[in-house]
Amino acid sequence: MEGLIQPRGILSLPAKPTGARSLLLQPSHGLKQRTFTRNLPPLSISSNGHTKFQSFHPNPLKISISHKERNRGFICKAEAAAGEGDSMAVTPPKVFGVEVTTLKKIIPLGLMFFCILFNYTILRDTKDVLVVTAKGSSAEIIPFLKTWVNLPMAIGFMLLYTKLSNVLSKKALFYTVIVPFIVYFGAFGFVMYPLSNLIHPEALADKLLATLGPRFMGPLAIMRIWSFCLFYVMAELWGSVVVSVLFWGFANQITTVDEAKKFYPLFGLGANVALIFSGRTVKYFSNMRKNLGPGVDGWAVSLKAMMSIVVGMGLAICFLYWWVNRYVPLPTRSKKKKVKPQMGTMESLKFLVSSPYIRDLATLVVAYGISINLVEVTWKSKLKAQFPSPNEYSAFMGDFSTCTGIATFTMMLLSQYVFDKYGWGVAAKITPTVLLVTGVAFFSLILFGGPFAPLVAKLGVTPLLAAVYVGALQNIFSKSAKYSLFDPCKEMAYIPLDEDTKVKGKAAIDVVCNPLGKSGGALIQQFMILTFGSLASSTPYLGVILLGIVTAWLAAAKSLEGQFNTLMSEEELEKEMERASTLKIPVVSQEDAPPGGESTSQLPETSAPTSI
């Protein structure tokens, strides 16, 4: 055997090499270089340009193998199997550093969020114009409407949704929930509003108001303009149901935690572009009404146009949902989650109440609803006083939505840095801090309006208009922080939960707790009005209540941070264990190796060099 080395095991040399005195062995450079083929070429073997063996030379040299070189000769079969799997894996195609499979999920989800919030902005601005500027109504109707109409309907929907979630598939449940919204808004614009003079009991409401007195103007206004109030509630439910339950539930279903951390904040970028464009849309139709001829109900014309847009966007949402379910694979979840049995409504509520994790999430949502409502209703009363006509009110709300979209877009660009740099906990605490600071500024301007009057006059605005602008800024900053940080944090918190807790927890929190927070704020305001005579008189007490609620909010966020991190650690550990259990480790004995072939025998471990 001249110039030919037959390897036996990891390292074998011929006992009596012919025409050679020594062997030059270079250290291996990787796993592939440590695995030898059955027959070697006469002179050398090269892999990736590194010479493995060289021919024998006449110069007598002593070759020694150090302990470090000997350790490189050991092969762990598990490492070998993993290495072969890695080398055979095909790198998935990427666009701008993002896998194509991920983009097939993220882009449709972004478009869905765009359409949903475009609709929500139009509906939100329209519902305020309908109930605040209607004859026989004012901003004082809002606390009663949220407490006695919105909350019961939200609870009823949650109970129905819980029942449906037990009997319908996720796809059927999505379509069953969203289609009635689309049908209703189309019917309102083309049927209910044109017939409002016929279906509203204005004569009965006037008679009852004369009998009961002005204290009952709010409850009687609900009866007087009941179709407008129903629109108000359906618009509120669109935000709670379609945004929170349907969209975020679907997003949590098809995305991983790593994708959520990277892309959830960015979903709002497209959504807030929708806020900007929908705000311009509302203002366009508000200005269009002024250009119509006499005798034409301009509000009815613009309402039909806007409801047509809402229906079109709703159909686009359904198409995007269908496309993602058909062409995008679902991510692999941990298989060691507890399987929850089918539960009835009361059992579901008891289960959710017994979970500290769900209770903390509910505290976050309720606290936000109460806090924003304490400021918002007072601001809207000032807004109607400044802009009494529907045209002016609607135009201002269009500008407000556009500014909210711009501010939120900017916050979205910063949110990913906040998540990457400071983590979930800090991001969850920014929204309550912003709301507290801006809320104190708004209440201070109302409470100490007299001392601020000379300064406001120098700016060329009235104290009323200054209060409207400061309240608008408070709402803009609070909502932008909510959309860019609060909502992504809340939705990330659902991801490590099991499917049953996730579905029923979202239904209870997003559908019930959201209006419960707003209704709680409304109840507080009603109590203050009855006790102190007006919202203005109760302003100092509202400020103290706001401080207490935000403190509880921050405590719940801190508690939830620890639980979220614990669940995420368990999720990662379970995934690692599953991957380890599926790894196949081949075991090859010395006797099973073919003659002259690869062997798994190891060199005896010793720290002293071996001379050949």
Side-chain angles (χ1 to χ4, degrees):
M1 177 181 66
E2 294 185 8
L4 180 63
I5 300 176
Q6 298 268 357
R8 184 180 181 185
I10 300 304
L11 179 62
S12 298
L13 296 178
K16 296 180 180 181
T18 305
R21 297 291 182 91
S22 64
L23 174 67
L24 296 178
L25 178 64
Q26 295 184 359
S28 62
H29 296 270
L31 184 61
K32 291 182 179 180
Q33 285 83 355
R34 284 180 267 153
T35 307
F36 303 135
T37 57
R38 181 170 182 177
N39 294 319
L40 304 180
L43 296 179
S44 65
I45 296 178
S46 295
S47 178
N48 296 331
H50 299 286
T51 304
K52 298 298 297 181
F53 292 96
Q54 297 193 9
S55 59
F56 297 103
H57 296 274
N59 296 332
L61 296 174
K62 271 188 131 181
I63 304 299
S64 65
I65 303 178
S66 65
H67 177 66
K68 182 177 180 181
E69 296 299 328
R70 179 178 294 108
N71 286 342
R72 289 186 179 184
F74 293 110
I75 294 182
C76 174
K77 279 295 180 179
E79 181 185 357
E84 292 174 2
D86 293 341
S87 63
M88 296 176 62
V90 179
T91 303
K94 295 183 178 181
V95 177
F96 300 112
V98 183
E99 295 183 5
V100 173
T101 304
T102 301
L103 289 178
K104 289 173 67 177
K105 293 185 288 186
I106 300 305
I107 293 177
L109 285 176
L111 292 175
M112 286 180 66
F113 207 32
F114 178 94
C115 295
I116 290 171
L117 283 202
F118 190 98
N119 278 359
Y120 182 56
T121 303
I122 293 178
L123 297 173
R124 181 185 61 192
D125 294 346
T126 303
K127 71 179 176 63
D128 288 336
V129 175
L130 285 171
V131 301
V132 174
T133 65
K135 179 183 177 182
S137 181
S138 64
E140 283 72 17
I141 191 179
I142 296 178
F144 295 96
L145 188 57
K146 290 183 175 180
T147 303
W148 308 113
V149 181
N150 192 27
L151 181 60
M153 288 193 65
I155 294 175
F157 176 85
M158 189 278 296
L159 297 177
L160 178 62
Y161 183 86
T162 303
K163 290 288 187 181
L164 293 176
S165 66
N166 290 331
V167 298
L168 296 178
S169 65
K170 291 182 179 179
K171 295 179 184 179
L173 184 62
F174 184 93
Y175 294 122
T176 301
V177 171
I178 196 173
V179 169
F181 281 98
I182 299 172
V183 173
Y184 170 78
F185 290 127
F188 181 85
F190 288 89
V191 179
M192 297 182 68
Y193 183 81
L195 298 177
S196 60
N197 292 332
L198 299 177
I199 62 178
H200 287 169
E202 295 185 3
L204 178 60
D206 291 336
K207 183 178 179 180
L208 292 175
L209 182 62
T211 303
L212 299 175
R215 293 180 302 172
F216 292 88
M217 185 183 69
L220 290 177
I222 296 176
M223 182 187 68
R224 179 193 300 271
I225 54 172
W226 67 268
S227 67
F228 297 171
C229 294
L230 180 60
F231 183 94
Y232 186 98
V233 172
M234 292 294 288
E236 287 282 332
L237 287 177
W238 177 274
S240 300
V241 175
V242 180
V243 176
S244 299
V245 177
L246 297 186
F247 172 79
W248 285 114
F250 181 55
N252 294 340
Q253 176 189 350
I254 67 173
T255 57
T256 63
V257 174
D258 292 335
E259 291 171 342
K261 289 181 178 180
K262 187 174 183 180
F263 294 105
Y264 271 19
L266 299 181
F267 283 163
L269 292 179
N272 288 285
V273 172
L275 282 179
I276 298 172
F277 281 100
S278 58
R280 295 296 86 198
T281 301
V282 171
K283 183 157 189 180
Y284 169 77
F285 288 115
S286 300
N287 294 331
M288 183 189 71
R289 290 197 299 270
K290 297 185 296 185
N291 300 325
L292 296 176
V296 178
D297 189 351
W299 178 245
V301 173
S302 62
L303 191 61
K304 289 180 181 178
M306 288 190 290
M307 292 305 102
S308 298
I309 295 174
V310 169
V311 171
M313 289 291 186
L315 296 177
I317 294 167
C318 294
F319 171 76
L320 291 168
Y321 179 82
W322 170 84
W323 189 91
V324 172
N325 277 284
R326 183 175 179 85
Y327 296 107
V328 178
L330 296 179
T332 302
R333 302 293 188 188
S334 174
K335 299 179 181 178
K336 294 187 177 181
K337 294 293 184 183
K338 295 180 180 179
V339 179
K340 300 290 182 180
Q342 295 288 339
M343 295 184 292
T345 301
M346 296 306 299
E347 289 80 3
S348 298
L349 291 176
K350 291 179 182 178
F351 166 71
L352 296 174
V353 171
S354 66
S355 171
Y357 196 93
I358 297 298
R359 288 202 306 268
D360 286 337
L361 266 176
T363 302
L364 264 62
V365 176
V366 172
Y368 173 81
I370 294 177
S371 301
I372 195 66
N373 192 69
L374 290 178
V375 184
E376 192 175 36
V377 174
T378 305
W379 172 63
K380 287 181 180 179
S381 65
K382 301 293 183 182
L383 184 59
K384 184 184 179 180
Q386 181 66 39
F387 304 107
S389 71
N391 286 7
E392 295 175 346
Y393 194 107
S394 181
F396 181 86
M397 292 302 295
D399 290 334
F400 168 78
S401 297
T402 299
C403 293
T404 302
I406 295 173
T408 309
F409 188 90
T410 304
M411 289 285 291
M412 288 287 181
L413 296 177
L414 300 175
S415 62
Q416 190 170 4
Y417 171 79
V418 173
F419 279 107
D420 293 339
K421 180 71 174 179
Y422 301 104
W424 187 95
V426 173
K429 297 170 186 174
I430 290 178
T431 302
T433 304
V434 170
L435 199 149
L436 177 63
V437 172
T438 55
V440 169
F442 175 71
F443 282 123
S444 299
L445 182 61
I446 295 178
L447 188 62
F448 306 104
F452 285 108
L455 178 62
V456 170
K458 292 181 180 179
L459 298 176
V461 296
T462 63
L464 177 60
L465 185 59
V468 169
Y469 285 152
V470 172
L473 291 175
Q474 189 277 335
N475 274 267
I476 288 170
F477 287 127
S478 299
K479 291 181 184 298
S480 63
K482 175 183 183 292
Y483 294 145
S484 61
L485 295 171
F486 180 79
D487 286 345
C489 283
K490 176 168 65 74
E491 300 308 325
M492 287 181 192
Y494 287 111
I495 294 179
L497 298 176
D498 59 80
E499 288 299 322
D500 192 78
T501 307
K502 190 181 300 182
V503 172
K504 297 180 179 178
K506 281 188 68 62
I509 289 174
D510 296 331
V511 178
V512 175
C513 293
N514 188 24
L516 179 62
K518 296 179 181 180
S519 301
L523 286 173
I524 292 172
Q525 289 173 329
Q526 293 174 48
F527 175 78
M528 291 294 176
I529 291 172
L530 295 176
T531 304
F532 299 102
S534 66
L535 285 175
S537 301
S538 60
T539 298
Y541 305 98
L542 292 175
V544 174
I545 293 173
L546 180 65
L547 177 62
I549 291 172
V550 172
T551 302
W553 185 351
L554 291 170
K558 183 178 180 180
S559 173
L560 191 60
E561 178 185 7
Q563 298 177 71
F564 175 77
N565 292 334
T566 300
L567 286 179
M568 289 308 306
S569 299
E570 294 176 356
E571 175 89 6
E572 293 299 324
L573 179 60
E574 290 175 356
K575 289 182 179 179
E576 290 296 332
M577 294 176 64
E578 290 176 5
R579 283 196 290 264
S581 65
T582 58
L583 179 63
K584 296 180 179 180
I585 305 178
V587 178
V588 181
S589 62
Q590 177 76 22
E591 291 77 8
D592 295 339
E598 182 183 350
S599 173
T600 59
S601 61
Q602 296 180 344
L603 293 175
E605 183 174 358
T606 174
S607 59
T610 302
S611 299
I612 300 178

